[in-house]
Amino acid sequence: MTIEYITLKPSGDKMPLIGFGCAKIEPDATAEVIYNAIKTGYRLFDGGSNYYNEKEVGDGIRKAIADGLVEREELFVISKLWNTHHGKDHVRLALEKSLQDLGLDYVDMFLCHFPIALEHVPIETKYPAGWCVPGKTQVTRARAPMHECWAAMEACVDAGLARNIGVSNFNVQMLMDLLSYCRIQPSLLQVELHPYLQQRILVDWVQRQGIAVTAYSSFGPASFAAGGLKHAKSVQSLFDNPTIKDIAAKYNTSPAQVALRWSLERNVGVVPKSLSVERMKNNLEALNWKMDEEDVQAINQLDMGLRFNDPIIKGWDLPIFY
């Protein structure tokens, strides 16, 4: 199996194009799942404090290292700054808490999870904090400007706590503002990206700035429908889409691999998740074949601008994508 990488700027670090997503895994199962993913061949792990399983992700990583499956330097570990810790005095504390839970000295990538500053919740009060301050039922925005937050993230790089920093769920306007004052340019943008939400203008512009792009939710509505989101249940599964199924049949592969390969053809990284070792292996195989341009173009016609991970859908008064 050939592992492909994106070379990140400005560090020059190599980030695997395909990794393993740590969201929506029950904590009790997480350590074993992460261990199995490492054993299967995954080297990038996309985690975050608000996934509620960062300690267990660390348990799986440490067991794999202890058993000689991998060395720390071979892994690319991502964590994320949650919205309640954007204050300039809170950023490093949040990263140090993630490192403590992961049992690591540094992360390879530290992402600002959302371009949203919410009222601070101290770690000792509630962790992970979630969207609302304890006792409230709606979000409360905080006066924590991104330029101060980003400077604090840059300081984490200076301190050796994070090798790279980047952003998630940012649009072009937000990135233009960030690029106007940053000392360390973001290495990565992570966004929801799948055949039903292709974001071509965003991806093309970001890549032209020398910023890598990674897709989450590569399977579109699948995990959201499983979680009960009506918005996701109302559309056809990507795995049942005739175009995706026909292309999968052409290459004698799975619809899941087709969805992943479509992103890889754009030099966009992917972080699929599965609890099944067989599906882990199947997803990783997306690295090992090429898709004809005519098939890429056929999938390009499926774009509906259909977003599933949106604070508005969750019921929060945060229309960041509008």
Side-chain angles (χ1 to χ4, degrees), residues 240-316:
D240 294 327
N241 185 282
T243 299
I244 300 291
K245 290 176 69 175
D246 287 349
I247 294 172
K250 173 181 175 179
Y251 296 100
N252 192 29
T253 188
S254 66
Q257 275 197 43
V258 169
L260 296 174
R261 186 67 228 176
W262 171 78
S263 282
L264 297 178
E265 294 288 345
R266 305 169 73 186
N267 203 34
V268 170
V270 292
V271 287
K273 176 210 75 178
S274 178
L275 306 185
S276 160
V277 172
E278 286 306 310
R279 287 196 293 272
M280 290 180 192
K281 293 177 180 177
N282 182 269
N283 291 340
L284 208 51
E285 284 295 324
L287 284 168
N288 294 336
W289 57 282
K290 298 288 291 182
M291 186 182 293
D292 292 339
E293 180 60 24
E294 65 182 16
D295 299 317
V296 173
Q297 293 302 323
I299 295 174
N300 286 349
Q301 304 310 307
L302 301 180
D303 192 10
M304 295 186 283
L306 194 56
R307 187 184 302 277
F308 300 107
N309 188 28
D310 187 338
I312 287 291
I313 296 174
K314 297 175 184 292
W316 310 127

Side-chain angles (χ1 to χ4, degrees), residues 6-182:
I6 298 175
T7 300
L8 299 172
K9 296 179 180 180
S11 70
D13 288 354
K14 294 184 180 300
M15 182 184 73
L17 261 175
I18 186 164
F20 191 86
C22 302
K24 301 178 183 178
I25 306 175
E26 290 297 324
D28 290 348
T30 298
E32 182 179 4
V33 168
I34 298 303
Y35 183 89
N36 288 338
I38 292 173
K39 195 171 183 179
T40 300
Y42 289 88
R43 293 297 178 262
L44 183 152
F45 291 88
D46 178 55
S49 62
N50 210 56
Y51 295 161
Y52 293 83
N53 61 5
E54 208 159 34
K55 181 179 183 301
E56 292 77 13
V57 169
D59 291 341
I61 289 173
R62 289 194 303 277
K63 184 176 189 302
I65 292 173
D67 287 355
L69 299 183
V70 70
E71 295 181 0
R72 168 64 183 99
E73 292 72 23
E74 298 175 71
L75 297 176
F76 194 100
V77 180
I78 299 175
S79 187
K80 300 183 182 75
L81 176 72
W82 187 241
N83 310 327
T84 52
H85 298 288
H86 277 213
K88 61 183 179 181
D89 296 326
H90 306 142
V91 172
R92 177 165 177 162
L93 292 174
L95 177 53
E96 289 175 340
K97 172 60 175 170
S98 285
L99 291 173
Q100 177 186 341
D101 285 351
L102 289 165
L104 301 176
D105 296 326
Y106 67 92
V107 291
D108 299 272
M109 180 70 71
F110 190 41
L111 298 179
C112 183
H113 205 151
F114 280 93
I116 302 166
L118 297 181
E119 184 175 344
H120 177 58
V121 178
I123 291 170
E124 58 272 18
T125 299
K126 183 184 179 185
Y127 187 88
W131 290 86
C132 294
V133 172
K136 296 186 180 181
T137 59
Q138 187 50 260
V139 295
T140 308
R141 288 183 290 110
R143 292 177 63 88
M146 183 52 62
H147 71 90
E148 293 184 355
C149 177
W150 190 255
M153 292 180 67
E154 291 172 329
C156 290
V157 176
D158 297 337
L161 303 178
R163 288 192 55 83
N164 301 274
I165 49 178
V167 295
S168 180
N169 299 302
F170 277 50
N171 62 21
V172 169
Q173 182 179 4
M174 296 165 183
L175 277 166
M176 283 182 175
D177 182 60
L178 176 54
L179 290 173
S180 73
Y181 56 75
C182 64

Side-chain angles (χ1 to χ4, degrees), residues 160-223:
L161 303 178
R163 288 192 55 83
N164 301 274
I165 49 178
V167 295
S168 180
N169 299 302
F170 277 50
N171 62 21
V172 169
Q173 182 179 4
M174 296 165 183
L175 277 166
M176 283 182 175
D177 182 60
L178 176 54
L179 290 173
S180 73
Y181 56 75
C182 64
R183 176 170 58 86
I184 300 175
Q185 178 170 307
S187 299
L188 177 67
L189 169 67
Q190 186 179 102
V191 290
E192 181 181 348
L193 195 74
H194 45 75
Y196 291 162
L197 180 68
Q198 299 186 12
Q199 306 208 70
R200 294 181 198 134
I201 293 174
L202 171 66
V203 170
D204 292 346
W205 186 86
V206 169
Q207 290 178 333
R208 288 200 303 273
Q209 312 315 307
I211 301 171
V213 180
T214 295
Y216 68 78
S217 300
S218 293
F219 301 145
S223 66

